[in-house]
Each structure stands twice: as C-alpha cells, then as structure tokens.
Amino acid sequence: MAKLPDMTKHRGFPSGLPGTGFQFTVRRANPKGATKIIERKRFPDRTSTEKLADTAFLHAIWHMFGDEPFERGNLDAGRISWLFNREIVPGEHPFDPQSYTALLRIDETVARKTHPDAFQDVLEV
C-alpha cells in the first residue's frame, strides 16, 4: 500500500449527520492526494436534509474553531465545497485547494445570515 500523505485528524469533530449519508470527515488520507475543494452551486431545490447538513457542519466548525483559521485536515472536501467561497473562505494566500494543510476560516458575517442556527449553543438534528 502506498504511503498516505500526512493529514491532521480533528479529534472530537462529528463524522457526519446522523441518520443520513452526509459525511463531515474522511477516515484516512487519499494516497493520490487531497480532493480539490471547489465552489459548488447551490440550487433552490435542495432538500431540507441537505440544508441541515450544511448547517450542522458549519455548527461543528464554529464550535471547534470559532473565528480562527483552521486546517482542512480530515474535513470532507465535498461538504466544504457546498459552503466554499461563501460561508467558508480561504484562510491564507496563496490558497491550495488540494492540500490537507490548507487553512480555511468562516466568513462569520455571511454565515450568520445564511445559517443563523449554526451559531446556537445546541443544534437540534
């Protein structure tokens, strides 16, 4: 088996949204390199469960890192991509979207407008 790239594991971070297939973290690094973070277009016909997954993911990030930059590490690129360049933005310049060590941060102003429940002390899922 190929040597896996180094990847920070955010201990205590939820692995996903319970009762759904939406994951928030990955178990191990991809031997071919990190999946690229992209900006995914959000269409108005998204289900309430998809929207809840975004809110729960943002809630977990806020309660683990607050307004400080955080390393991508084992956070799922697909889930980040639904929020990227809106609620989650690059935390460093230049930004490498294919790096496990890339820094990200929450754009609190945007996130509080689009996902106000993510900033509550407890999020009911």
Side-chain angles (χ1 to χ4, degrees), residues 1-124:
M1 183 171 171
K3 182 177 177 341
L4 298 177
D6 288 334
M7 175 183 76
T8 298
K9 290 194 175 189
H10 298 295
R11 303 283 181 211
F13 199 89
S15 61
L17 185 64
T20 70
F22 296 117
Q23 67 181 42
F24 296 169
T25 60
V26 295
R27 288 180 160 193
R28 64 187 65 84
N30 182 342
K32 296 177 184 174
T35 301
K36 186 176 182 178
I37 296 171
I38 60 170
E39 182 179 333
R40 290 189 176 184
K41 184 167 175 55
R42 293 191 299 227
F43 295 98
D45 65 346
R46 294 178 77 216
T47 68
S48 59
T49 307
E50 289 172 314
K51 294 173 187 175
L52 178 59
D54 289 346
T55 301
F57 183 63
L58 197 57
H59 179 266
I61 291 172
W62 177 255
H63 287 280
M64 182 164 266
F65 305 111
D67 59 359
E68 296 297 317
F70 58 92
E71 189 172 309
R72 171 193 179 169
N74 69 328
L75 300 179
D76 183 65
R79 184 56 42 206
I80 292 170
S81 292
W82 286 111
L83 303 170
F84 190 65
N85 278 337
R86 290 175 294 262
E87 295 85 1
I88 297 176
V89 295
E92 64 185 350
H93 297 283
F95 176 74
D96 182 357
Q98 284 187 278
S99 171
Y100 287 119
T101 60
L103 292 179
L104 299 160
R105 68 175 182 79
I106 293 176
D107 183 330
E108 189 177 348
T109 304
V110 172
R112 283 189 182 273
K113 287 179 186 173
T114 58
H115 298 280
D117 291 344
F119 296 90
Q120 296 178 3
D121 288 338
V122 177
L123 179 66
E124 297 290 329

